[in-house]
Amino acid sequence: MEDHRRKLVTVVTEAVLEGTLAKDVERLGAHGFTITEARGSGSRGVRMSEWSPSRNIRLEVVCDAATADAISSHLAEKYYADYAMIVYVSDVVVLRPHKF
Amino acid sequence: MAAIDPIIMFFALGLLAGLLRSELRLPAAVYELVSMLLLLAIGLKGGVELAKQPFTTLLPQMLVVAAMGIGLSLIAFPVLKTIGRLSRADSASIAAHYGSVSVGTYAVAAAFLLSRQIPFEEHMPLLLVTLEIPAILVGILLARGVSKDMPLGPVMHEVLLGKSIVLLVGGLVIGWVAGADGLTTIKPLFFDLFYGILALFLLEMGLVTATQFGSLRRSGAFLLAFGVGMPLFSSVVGSLLGWILGLSVGGTAMLAVMAASASYIAVPAAMRVSVPEANPTLSLAAALGVTFPFNVTVGIPLYYAIAARVHTMLGG
């Protein structure tokens, strides 16, 4: 019986990091990712959606637990200090485990 | 009344709406389109004139303008670090902002001169493009020091292939190749509607500037003083260089405006990637919260007066 459980890593961060993060997660073992535009507010201030220096993105990766750990620790180490970013990991169930 | 006044009133409208927390927002795509149209219009106009000038006369001007960008950042850095007591990264980042140029401010200045029938050299957009980049490199060097493993690749890729440069240079090339006759078909959109598009742009800029006032209040008096003082100083430098280069009064005024303007799109993005320790709120508060509104309302007429004064005092 295949294990259909995977992890969902969600990163909400500054839009300038989109390109860099895409390369990072693929290098760390992600098979793909999804990006949506986001806006909001947090400890580093309000992030508006229509003003490009202040845009946010939400990047989501479905992967196995090991990759999720690798991605989370890499992001925390490299970006937490200087960029507005939150990362959270949740449990998901996928229909096609071989894709992740 | 000169056509510039309604445009500034759009800025004031946006500013007021923002400060009063109106729900007014320009959709992001509209803002992007408006800035693209401005960039292309500026490039196209400049390109048409480029064909009339041999490149060899323009190259020394470009080099002087690039040197001006470098020089202004190098002057701003110690002021920020020693007097402002900002961190090295913040000082380098803000210095890069002020050594570079704001296309929005350039557009308003061009409209200002055009509406008063004051001519200026049509190849100004070429100097505009030249001024964008050197300060960014200076900022990165000042923040990091000269080190072997400086990954400039991604930053330079983003800067050189960013929206501003691609559209300005692209517009210049298209205008140059097509010439004035070739552009008659697209003239209505880019040239005839220029003022209207600029008005929408300034409406959005007013809204965005209002959002910076909060962080400005927290940043203190130094940033406010720097945001006004640095442009004033730079405008004098730009005026003198314009006269030395033999530009007309209008051209000198444009160079002064370019020197006095601070980037708030290209440089913040470049700094975010290459000097991440720098606080983006600080540099944006200065460039957008103080300098842009100052330049657009008081600065441009003032810099024109300075340029005219330089010409009368030094002759020519």
Side-chain angles (χ1 to χ4, degrees):
Chain A
M1 243 295 272
E2 279 183 355
D3 186 359
H4 290 246
R5 288 170 303 177
R6 291 288 183 272
K7 297 286 186 186
L8 170 66
V9 181
T10 306
V11 185
V12 182
T13 187
E14 307 177 27
V16 281
L17 288 179
E18 180 173 331
T20 328
L21 286 184
K23 290 204 204 85
D24 281 352
V25 300
E26 292 201 309
R27 194 173 31 87
L28 291 166
H31 291 252
F33 55 84
T34 302
I35 294 185
T36 43
E37 306 233 325
R39 62 175 179 274
S41 147
S43 58
R44 295 208 195 222
V46 178
R47 314 279 305 163
M48 296 154 49
S49 62
E50 59 280 332
W51 176 240
S52 50
S54 154
R55 269 191 0 244
N56 269 1
I57 51 165
R58 177 198 286 112
L59 180 139
E60 293 173 303
V61 177
V62 178
C63 56
D64 57 37
T67 313
D69 282 338
I71 293 177
S72 322
S73 31
H74 170 79
L75 293 181
E77 192 186 307
K78 193 150 176 243
Y79 301 107
Y80 270 14
D82 299 323
Y83 295 95
M85 179 186 281
I86 61 170
V87 181
Y88 49 93
V89 183
S90 39
D91 292 315
V92 295
V93 174
V94 299
L95 292 184
R96 297 175 295 177
H98 56 270
K99 275 184 73 78
F100 308 102
Chain B
M1 249 191 148
I4 190 67
D5 297 329
I7 296 176
I8 302 300
M9 289 198 281
F10 271 80
F11 178 74
L13 174 62
L15 192 60
L16 196 62
L19 289 173
L20 294 176
R21 318 242 177 192
S22 152
E23 300 258 307
L24 175 64
R25 284 276 178 276
L26 227 65
V30 171
Y31 174 75
E32 297 287 320
L33 175 66
V34 160
S35 12
M36 282 178 70
L37 288 172
L38 286 179
L39 287 163
L40 283 170
I42 292 173
L44 286 170
K45 227 180 246 179
V48 168
E49 297 303 319
L50 266 189
K52 306 181 188 168
Q53 290 237 21
F55 204 62
T56 42
T57 53
L58 297 178
L59 202 55
Q61 288 190 3
M62 289 169 68
L63 290 171
V64 168
V65 167
M68 178 178 82
I70 295 174
L72 288 174
S73 331
L74 288 175
I75 293 173
F77 180 73
V79 171
L80 291 155
K81 192 145 177 294
T82 328
I83 304 179
R85 310 216 202 203
L86 296 172
S87 73
R88 179 175 174 167
D90 284 330
S91 308
S93 169
I94 298 178
H97 283 68
Y98 281 80
S100 180
V101 70
S102 154
V103 180
T105 314
Y106 175 96
V108 178
F112 172 86
L113 293 180
L114 282 169
S115 66
R116 283 164 179 70
Q117 268 95 45
I118 301 168
F120 60 90
E121 282 77 354
E122 299 284 353
H123 65 269
M124 275 294 144
L126 194 61
L127 301 181
L128 176 67
V129 175
T130 316
L131 193 53
E132 283 236 32
I133 304 182
I136 297 177
L137 298 170
V138 173
I140 298 176
L141 282 172
L142 287 171
R144 302 209 160 304
V146 186
S147 66
K148 294 188 295 284
D149 47 84
M150 230 182 354
L152 274 186
V155 175
M156 286 322 294
H157 179 270
E158 183 184 318
V159 169
L160 286 175
L161 292 174
K163 186 175 77 179
S164 308
I165 303 279
V166 170
L167 290 177
L168 279 173
V169 172
L172 280 168
V173 169
I174 294 174
W176 180 53
V177 170
D181 297 328
L183 293 183
T184 44
T185 41
I186 56 175
K187 177 174 159 308
L189 174 63
F190 290 102
F191 297 161
D192 298 346
L193 294 182
F194 186 75
Y195 286 103
I197 293 171
L198 190 56
L200 278 181
F201 173 80
L202 282 174
L203 177 63
E204 169 73 5
M205 289 309 300
L207 286 166
V208 173
T209 304
T211 65
Q212 296 303 317
F213 280 16
S215 38
L216 198 58
R217 249 189 318 216
R218 281 182 297 247
S219 310
F222 172 76
L223 222 52
L224 196 67
F226 182 83
V228 173
M230 183 73 198
L232 285 171
F233 169 77
S234 304
S235 69
V236 174
V237 171
S239 297
L240 290 170
L241 282 177
W243 179 79
I244 291 173
L245 287 174
L247 297 176
S248 63
V249 176
T252 308
M254 289 303 287
L255 191 58
V257 171
M258 292 199 297
S261 65
S263 169
Y264 48 81
I265 301 266
V267 179
M271 288 294 118
R272 211 69 201 96
V273 172
S274 53
V275 187
E277 326 84 80
N279 183 351
T281 327
L282 219 56
S283 40
L284 225 51
L288 201 45
V290 185
T291 300
F292 182 80
F294 174 74
N295 280 345
V296 154
T297 49
V298 173
I300 291 177
L302 178 61
Y303 307 149
Y304 174 70
I306 293 177
R309 177 60 71 94
V310 164
H311 272 254
T312 44
M313 271 178 24
L314 299 179

